[in-house]
Amino acid sequence: MKWDLVIEGGTVVTEHESYEANVYVKDGIISSISKEKLDGDALETVNAAGQYVLPGLIDTHVHSRDGGATHKEDFYHSTQAAAAGGITTIFEMPNTNPPVNNAENFHKQQENLTAKAHVDFGLWGICLGDLNINELEGLNESGVIGFKYFWGYAIDKQTFGLIYNYNEGMKNVIPPADDGEVYRMFEKVAKTGKTFAIHAENSELINHLTEEMKKTGRSDYDTLLASRPSLAEELTIQTGIAMAKQTGARLHILHVSSAEGVELIKRAQDEGYPITAETCPHFLFLTNEDYEKIGPEMKVYPLIKYKKDQERLWEGVREGVLSIVCSDHAPHTPEEKQADLWDAPAGMCGVETLAPLMLKAVSDKKITIQQLVSLLSTNPAKQFGVYPQKGSLQVGTDADFTIVDMNKEGTINKEKLHSKSKVSGFGGMSLKGIPVCTIVRGSIVMQDGDIQSEPAGRIIVSK
Ligand code: DOR
């Protein structure tokens, strides 16, 4: 058999162009992309006539909770959800138990996750200030795709779970680091040459305002927003940019939610600093006005903000100021999310709805299909050091593809999500443009919404 897989008659899309071609795969690698039909039999053929063949899409921001809070989610389910939603690679967040805080735990986590992975994955390393500053080089050598610092969060000392509603004086927590400690982390990560990614929210401002707002006795979304305003994001981005300028770190701002945030990042980029940023569908498709209908399920940190922020974020995506769109998949149980708005944990599912929602944006002419490929495949792969193995359609690279049918319509049904948790702010949203086939290194993992294979995902390391 000459080919293991042939994808016939589709329109191949890269970040720059689209053209009709057949794709030939052997041993998990792209062997040829040809407008002509090549000779030789294939073990498997996928007919992609009338459909787009995209380089495999990457979700760079996933919390699968494995190990640790596996009552909320685990890697088996999150990677099924990824495959069902057209994602071929995920980058897994490091605040698990044990956390990915040193080389030894990196390898433990690799082993834990590989057995359950339906798609390929990379691992983030965590920065815990002085607690693991001397482990960062080991994590770098192990192949983390980047370093994550939860700036503004306290972290549970035992479980390494995030403290969603922090009060000063809480016991058994690693409190947010001071700026001196943060500065040393910037320096250390800068030496590795890898990305230093920050959750950007100023905890001092938030703690103060939260105390004030809680005293009003109100627990509506606008009061919550008053306790975690755009200013919290702005302050931390500003400090982060200053530290990046000083240390040369490749700063990446995670899940940008505000117009002010976009402006600050744009200014730093215009000055020539290597600052990058991402946003998520919940900021692009929802605003404060949706709270009445959705309720606490849409509570995420940073909070979903106003229409003006949403509009600036879309502009930021189109301008390239925000070069990645990812899910921040952060499942909690429905019971946890039904608590009072102040007490409910922040986060919702997203890995399965990321690509469908961004395809909807293509149908609605908010972005082009080439821009989608840049945002969800090429840019993430380049940013995190795994290009062209991932994120490209080049001969000799991994045969990862997301095949999409732009004429197919649907509606997001939360109950049908593959995650353990069904918490999503997107239930009932109509879609146009659906991933119909997910292929990882030449193996069909999802076809027409059904998972087709046992876990065979592998780690991808960044060197
Ligand atoms: O809403 C959020 N939930 N934002 C984060 O940054 C973390 C996440 C989680 O892990 O629950």
Side-chain angles (χ1 to χ4, degrees):
M1 205 64 67
K2 188 151 183 200
W3 314 111
D4 294 331
L5 174 72
V6 179
I7 305 169
E8 269 183 357
T11 300
V12 164
V13 185
T14 69
E15 58 179 333
H16 300 304
E17 55 179 349
S18 314
Y19 55 94
E20 275 183 31
N22 305 307
V23 181
Y24 297 85
V25 175
K26 184 77 184 163
D27 297 331
I29 299 290
I30 302 176
S31 285
S32 180
I33 299 182
S34 165
K35 293 184 184 176
E36 312 301 327
K37 210 164 174 197
L38 303 185
D39 286 341
D41 290 342
L43 222 51
E44 218 164 358
T45 301
V46 173
N47 178 3
Q51 299 173 345
Y52 284 139
V53 180
L54 314 181
L57 302 181
I58 302 171
D59 188 348
T60 58
H61 196 146
V62 177
H63 297 269
S64 299
R65 318 287 196 207
D66 193 335
T70 46
H71 62 289
K72 299 177 194 246
E73 181 70 305
D74 61 28
F75 210 58
Y76 187 89
H77 286 84
S78 70
T79 55
Q80 279 205 339
I87 302 294
T88 59
T89 301
I90 66 178
F91 294 161
E92 181 61 21
M93 282 297 168
N95 55 316
T96 41
N97 191 9
V100 183
N101 61 343
N102 57 36
E104 190 189 338
N105 283 340
F106 175 97
H107 295 293
K108 275 195 194 151
Q109 184 65 326
Q110 172 180 351
E111 200 181 323
N112 171 36
L113 299 186
T114 302
K116 309 167 191 168
H118 288 86
V119 299
D120 283 354
F121 64 97
L123 292 180
W124 285 93
I126 197 165
C127 290
L128 294 170
D130 294 345
L131 288 177
N132 78 332
I133 189 111
N134 294 321
E135 306 290 348
L136 302 186
E137 186 44 37
L139 281 169
N140 177 36
E141 281 163 18
S142 302
V144 288
I145 55 94
F147 293 88
K148 165 96 185 244
Y149 177 51
F150 291 91
W151 205 334
Y153 269 109
I155 294 183
D156 188 294
K157 255 188 188 154
Q158 260 88 49
T159 66
F160 295 91
L162 304 177
I163 308 290
Y164 296 96
N165 303 299
Y166 175 61
N167 304 312
E168 254 172 74
M170 265 182 175
K171 297 245 172 346
N172 295 319
V173 300
I174 304 167
D178 66 34
D179 283 355
E181 213 174 332
V182 176
Y183 176 57
R184 293 293 181 222
M185 288 189 265
F186 267 83
E187 271 186 338
K188 262 285 198 284
V189 175
K191 285 202 185 110
T192 69
K194 284 188 183 160
T195 298
F196 188 61
I198 58 165
H199 179 115
E201 285 192 290
N202 181 293
S203 59
E204 290 179 13
L205 182 79
I206 288 171
N207 292 344
H208 193 91
L209 297 183
T210 301
E211 215 170 286
E212 279 178 16
M213 290 301 137
K214 277 188 165 173
K215 281 189 193 140
T216 65
R218 292 167 52 187
S219 60
D220 54 284
Y221 195 73
D222 285 337
T223 311
L224 187 69
L225 262 170
S227 75
R228 301 182 84 95
S230 297
L231 180 62
E233 183 169 80
E234 209 180 337
L235 288 174
T236 301
I237 293 178
Q238 213 159 30
T239 311
I241 289 173
M243 292 209 189
K245 285 181 179 175
Q246 187 69 28
T247 57
R250 290 177 56 206
L251 176 65
H252 180 73
I253 318 292
L254 298 159
H255 42 47
V256 177
S257 68
S258 67
E260 290 80 359
V262 180
E263 289 305 335
L264 282 172
I265 295 158
K266 181 170 167 28
R267 204 176 313 145
Q269 289 173 346
D270 289 346
E271 287 173 18
Y273 292 99
I275 313 287
T276 55
E278 65 186 37
T279 192
C280 313
H282 40 262
F283 301 121
L284 294 170
F285 287 87
L286 303 174
T287 68
N288 63 318
E289 289 169 24
D290 292 297
Y291 184 77
E292 212 175 312
K293 195 175 93 219
I294 300 172
E297 282 196 51
M298 70 173 251
K299 179 182 175 187
V300 293
Y301 288 162
L303 293 175
I304 293 166
K305 301 195 166 61
Y306 303 97
K307 189 92 196 147
K308 72 154 181 61
D309 297 290
Q310 188 184 53
E311 282 166 5
R312 187 66 190 92
L313 288 165
W314 274 117
E315 224 176 279
V317 164
R318 284 188 288 264
E319 292 169 322
V321 175
L322 306 168
S323 52
I324 293 174
V325 177
C326 54
S327 72
D328 192 7
H329 181 73
H332 298 288
T333 66
E335 297 72 35
E336 288 166 326
K337 291 293 277 187
Q338 270 156 23
D340 178 83
L341 182 56
W342 290 109
D343 299 331
M348 64 163 96
C349 291
V351 70
E352 190 164 345
T353 47
L354 168 65
L357 286 168
M358 295 312 287
L359 289 166
K360 175 185 172 75
V362 173
S363 296
D364 293 346
K365 304 213 171 345
K366 284 182 157 24
I367 55 168
T368 65
I369 191 73
Q370 280 83 15
Q371 281 172 318
L372 182 144
V373 166
S374 299
L375 292 162
L376 271 74
S377 187
T378 313
N379 293 346
K382 286 182 176 166
Q383 169 89 38
F384 297 109
V386 298
Y387 183 88
Q389 184 184 353
K390 303 294 187 193
S392 82
L393 287 179
Q394 293 178 21
V395 169
T397 66
D398 285 359
D400 295 347
F401 310 99
T402 304
I403 304 180
V404 305
D405 185 340
M406 292 307 294
N407 294 317
K408 199 166 174 184
E409 300 187 24
T411 304
I412 295 177
N413 180 346
K414 292 197 296 183
E415 293 317 309
K416 292 217 166 127
L417 292 176
H418 288 71
S419 283
K420 271 192 171 175
S421 156
K422 312 296 175 198
V423 170
S424 159
F426 302 117
M429 206 170 265
S430 65
L431 300 170
K432 181 151 195 251
I434 309 269
V436 291
C437 188
T438 306
I439 299 172
V440 179
R441 283 175 287 100
S443 297
I444 298 175
V445 182
M446 179 279 283
Q447 196 150 29
D448 296 322
D450 294 328
I451 303 299
Q452 301 282 330
S453 59
E454 292 306 309
R458 286 190 202 152
I459 195 165
I460 172 146
V461 294
S462 170
K463 290 293 178 184

